[in-house]
Amino acid sequence: MTPATRSLRRWGLVHKWTSLICTLFMLMLCITGLPLIFHEEIDDLLHSQVKPAEVPAGTPSANLDQLLSNALKHAPGEVPHFLVWDRDDPNAMFVSVGKSITSDPSQNRFIRMDTHTAAFLDAPDVTGRFTYIMLRLHTDMFAGLAGKLFLGLMGILFCVAIISGIVVYAPSMRKLNFGAYRSKRTRIVRWLDLHNIAGILLVMWTLVVGFTGVINTWADLVVKLWQFGQLAEMTAQYRDRAPPAHLASLHSAVDVAAKAVPGMQPSFVAFPGTILSSKSHYAVFLRGNTPVTSRLLKPALIDAETGQLTDTRDMPWYVSTLFISQPLHFGDYGGMPLKVLWALLDILTIVVLVTGVYLWMRRRKSGVSVERAIARPAAIEASVAAS
């Protein structure tokens, strides 16, 4: 056996086992990810919501202190964690409330408010929605951080399977045209060709989606790293300071942040004591105005007692990488054409995964190894015919 043959066999084993271990989970992720590409359209179709009042263009936003006060009237006994501008509807905002300032924000309720009139719109319970269930399955399988990290591991195996598949696929094409489909050969050879064609055409997309998916599973760890790194540095002088007895104006804090970071607009505010701020600050996160920069956030810390700017910095590279990977993973930054493209590529990935499982089952039945199946398709036909 030549060194090249031994190397190909090793790569074949890597491709086989990484694929087998991650395939079922990748199928689950592809199936649940498909409706998530169109989550906004699905929610609009399945769920009605109160529309904000129609106002003339240029109408100023309502005072945020009044808006917050109106929202909390519909959340007795609860406290605000975040104030969020609706990215898809500039006429609506969300107030995220929890049972206490230290409660788990993943259990928060969202109160939807009219941006211009400060009127209450609704407080939808999204936990029973189809898209919410798909999202939880896709991100952590309802298993929290452990589920995220496990799916991240499956994503790494998926990327290794893709790379090893390229290595294994290359020698089989020496005597065939690129992307050849042998329609007159036996079924298993046709399935092998379909698997190879779809797989090689999807290499770049699957690597991008797989790698960004892995990054997204580290989101909780990235937030913790930012908390104990940059955020701790920005608030070091306030570490021993008691929480403010009275909070400064929220509306003024947002204005101060917007003036400190010109060319950007508020995306959300984290209240003092929440996981994205200190006990002494409003953390106003601002975003850019282009499809790419709108995904990048810059925090401005406003002293919650005096209303003065404490610090503002660009996010570290690892946080920016996370911000960019999230929309890239779901293809939700280029409008409907990109969503349709992402959906088609997702379906083709399902084809690759299903054909891969089929080929493994057939090879196991016929006793033909992965290496021989790819390098000598004729051996497959003989084995299958005899089985």
Side-chain angles (χ1 to χ4, degrees), residues 83 95-96 154 163-164 192 200 203 220 236 240 257 272 292 300 307-308:
L83 177 71
V95 178
S96 174
M154 294 301 102
I163 295 171
S164 59
L192 176 62
I200 206 67
V203 162
D220 291 353
D240 300 323
V292 174
Q308 300 299 310

Side-chain angles (χ1 to χ4, degrees), residues 85-326:
W85 279 259
D86 191 335
R87 179 181 293 272
D88 302 311
D89 185 356
N91 297 318
M93 302 180 69
F94 295 96
V95 178
S96 174
V97 297
K99 294 181 179 179
S100 71
I101 200 64
T102 57
S103 62
D104 183 357
S106 66
Q107 304 299 318
N108 282 5
R109 293 194 309 118
F110 285 90
I111 301 172
R112 189 162 161 268
M113 304 293 292
D114 190 303
T115 302
H116 297 99
T117 67
F120 170 80
L121 296 176
D122 50 33
D125 179 9
V126 301
T127 57
R129 292 184 177 182
F130 169 74
T131 51
Y132 177 82
I133 295 172
M134 292 297 101
L135 180 63
R136 289 298 306 273
L137 286 172
H138 191 84
T139 55
D140 64 6
M141 299 185 299
F142 290 93
L145 179 59
K148 290 180 181 180
L149 296 179
F150 176 79
L151 290 178
L153 176 60
M154 294 301 102
I156 293 174
L157 292 179
F158 181 57
C159 291
V160 173
I162 295 169
I163 295 171
S164 59
I166 297 171
V167 176
V168 173
Y169 174 76
S172 70
M173 290 295 98
R174 289 172 182 170
K175 297 181 180 180
L176 295 172
N177 294 326
F178 177 82
Y181 179 73
R182 292 161 287 184
S183 58
K184 296 183 180 180
R185 302 290 286 272
T186 58
R187 179 189 300 173
I188 195 168
V189 175
R190 297 197 301 270
W191 277 69
L192 176 62
D193 286 342
L194 180 62
H195 179 78
N196 287 341
I197 293 169
I200 206 67
L201 291 177
L202 290 171
V203 162
M204 290 306 299
W205 184 82
T206 49
L207 279 176
V208 168
V209 172
F211 185 64
T212 54
V214 171
I215 294 174
N216 289 341
T217 64
W218 298 338
D220 291 353
L221 301 180
V222 169
V223 170
K224 287 293 183 184
L225 187 60
W226 177 75
Q227 282 180 304
F228 290 103
Q230 187 182 74
L231 180 61
E233 293 177 5
M234 296 170 71
T235 60
Q237 59 182 315
Y238 294 84
R239 185 178 297 118
D240 300 323
R241 178 179 170 182
H246 302 283
L247 295 180
S249 166
L250 171 63
H251 192 90
S252 297
V254 173
D255 283 345
V256 169
K259 292 176 181 177
V261 189
M264 302 186 78
Q265 62 189 67
S267 179
F268 72 93
V269 179
F271 284 80
T274 58
I275 62 171
L276 296 180
S277 186
S278 76
K279 60 185 179 182
S280 303
H281 291 88
Y282 290 114
V284 182
F285 290 82
L286 303 104
R287 62 182 177 89
N289 298 307
T290 68
V292 174
T293 61
S294 68
R295 303 292 177 170
L296 298 175
L297 300 178
K298 184 171 184 175
L301 298 184
I302 309 299
D303 189 309
E305 190 169 59
T306 67
Q308 300 299 310
L309 176 71
T310 294
D311 198 355
T312 179
R313 303 182 187 182
D314 291 326
M315 283 288 201
W317 66 268
Y318 54 87
V319 181
S320 297
T321 300
L322 174 64
F323 289 154
I324 291 294
S325 71
Q326 291 173 336

Side-chain angles (χ1 to χ4, degrees), residues 14-26:
V14 170
H15 182 67
K16 179 177 76 173
W17 288 110
T18 53
S19 299
L20 288 176
I21 293 171
C22 74
T23 288
L24 290 179
F25 296 100
M26 289 300 107

